[in-house]
């Protein structure tokens, strides 16, 4: 089951209604919003917006049992992960190449 906005720490029914009136009707939408966008909602300071966005992103990152995790991950995040994975592989290859070259040198 998908998480609801009221599942986000710091969001109750009134805050959820205010967010919904400003186009933030899902955890996904809130997790992808900017601080400026959320802080434009009445009752949301910059600090509260930052906390709520972070909490939404964390809740969004927890994959639901019935949905694949990659489908909910923003495309940019998947690209970043691929880059990190590639860097790790490249580093491992480099480390393997370096091993054994200086075995007999002292």
């Amino acid at each position: 089951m998908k998480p609801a906005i009221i599942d986000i720490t710091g969001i109750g029914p009134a805050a959820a209604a205010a967010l919904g009136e400003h186009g933030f009707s899902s955890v996904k939408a809130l997790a992808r919003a900017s601080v400026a966008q959320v802080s434009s909602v009445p009752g949301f300071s910059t600090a509260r917006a930052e906390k709520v966005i972070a909490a939404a992103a964390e809740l969004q990152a927890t994959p639901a049992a019935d949905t694949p995790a990659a489908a909910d991950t923003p495309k940019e995040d998947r690209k970043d992960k691929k880059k990190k994975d590639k860097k790790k592989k490249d580093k491992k290859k480099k480390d393997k190449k370096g091993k054994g070259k200086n075995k007999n040198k002292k």
Side-chain angles (χ1 to χ4, degrees), residues 14-15 24 40 42 47 54-55 60 63 66 81-82 96 99 101:
F24 303 108
S40 71
Q60 183 68 26
D66 59 348
K81 184 174 179 353
K82 284 182 182 179
K96 284 182 181 179
K99 288 183 181 178
K101 284 187 177 181

Side-chain angles (χ1 to χ4, degrees), residues 22-89:
H22 285 82
F24 303 108
S25 58
S26 70
V27 174
K28 188 175 187 177
L30 194 54
R32 292 182 174 182
S34 70
V35 174
Q37 291 171 320
V38 177
S39 63
S40 71
V41 177
F44 285 84
S45 64
T46 302
R48 185 177 184 195
E50 289 172 351
K51 289 177 186 176
V52 168
I53 291 169
E58 187 175 326
L59 189 61
Q60 183 68 26
T62 307
D66 59 348
T67 58
D72 292 334
T73 305
K75 192 174 184 178
E76 293 170 359
D77 290 348
R78 292 191 304 254
K79 285 181 181 178
D80 290 342
K81 184 174 179 353
K82 284 182 182 179
K83 285 180 184 179
K84 286 179 184 177
D85 289 345
K86 183 171 176 11
K87 284 182 181 180
K88 284 181 184 178
K89 286 180 185 178

